[in-house]
Amino acid sequence: NAGVMQNPRHLVRRRGQEARLRCSPMKGHSHVYWYRQLPEEGLKFMVYLQKENIIDESGMPKERFSAEFPKEGPSILRIQQVVRGDSAAYFCASSPRRQRGVSGSSHEQYFGPGTRLTVT
Amino acid sequence: EDKVVQSPLSLVVHEGDTVTLNCSYEVTNFRSLLWYKQEKKAPTFLFMLTSSGIEKKSGRLSSILDKKELFSILNITATQTGDSAVYLCAGTGTASKLTFGTGTRLQVTL
């Protein structure tokens, strides 16, 4: 069972360009989460998506950032007009769908290898 | 705002020592406490704790949750150099997102 996949692993962009980060969840997982890790800081939640729905985007910057998880294909985190402060590691995590009638939580999240974005 | 605090920030021990890492949390509508190990790449899932007082164990690692005191510990016995990593604690509530602490950097020396 392949794990969470992210690509690219490393991305270099000049200020003002766009960055697109992709995430394919684990097989059977329909919940996707994006986190950002700035140098020497902890992981910060950005957005939580299910197929074709944004469930919680409370951690997303109001401008330049957007995320989607289409019916087919990977989840995409898009950063427009990147600035140096966007340089960070961006991690995607996935979790299984909660099944009706099954006790327990679907909060166990499995992380991908991350995309390290460098803005020059 | 939800908050997770880990201590110590960093720790250096000798191989064979036992270590205890601490995590305190304030999470709205708390559901679970999770521990991860991060070694320069993706955080690797270790444990998820939802009930107070029930120890979870995996090899030399174990963890327990105290929901009354809003606290969890991660124990590593007979440490090895391969245990060197940043250990992350995260809390989650009904909102599903994880709120992480800044981690404890563990270095195990020979």
Side-chain angles (χ1 to χ4, degrees), chain B residues 3-68:
Chain B
K3 192 166 80 169
V4 173
V5 178
Q6 292 185 245
S7 65
L9 290 181
S10 66
L11 194 53
V12 181
V13 300
H14 290 114
E15 206 172 38
D17 288 351
T18 292
V19 297
T20 298
L21 309 184
N22 305 300
C23 175
S24 63
Y25 63 90
E26 293 174 28
V27 174
T28 305
N29 298 320
F30 174 81
R31 295 292 294 273
S32 310
L33 191 291
L34 294 88
W35 284 96
Y36 289 86
K37 178 183 180 182
Q38 188 175 26
E39 303 169 86
K40 290 187 180 179
K41 49 183 181 180
T44 304
F45 173 78
L46 295 174
F47 297 111
M48 184 172 74
L49 303 148
T50 54
S51 301
S52 243
I54 299 173
E55 185 183 54
K56 289 221 172 174
K57 206 168 165 62
S58 175
R60 295 177 294 102
L61 277 66
S62 63
S63 184
I64 197 160
L65 176 68
D66 184 333
K67 288 168 81 170
K68 187 179 173 188

Side-chain angles (χ1 to χ4, degrees), chain B residues 82-110:
Chain B
D83 295 327
S84 297
V86 175
Y87 289 84
L88 300 169
C89 167
T92 183
T94 50
S96 293
K97 65 183 180 184
L98 294 175
T99 299
F100 280 90
T102 51
T104 293
R105 184 175 297 275
L106 173 65
Q107 187 180 350
V108 181
T109 62
L110 290 169

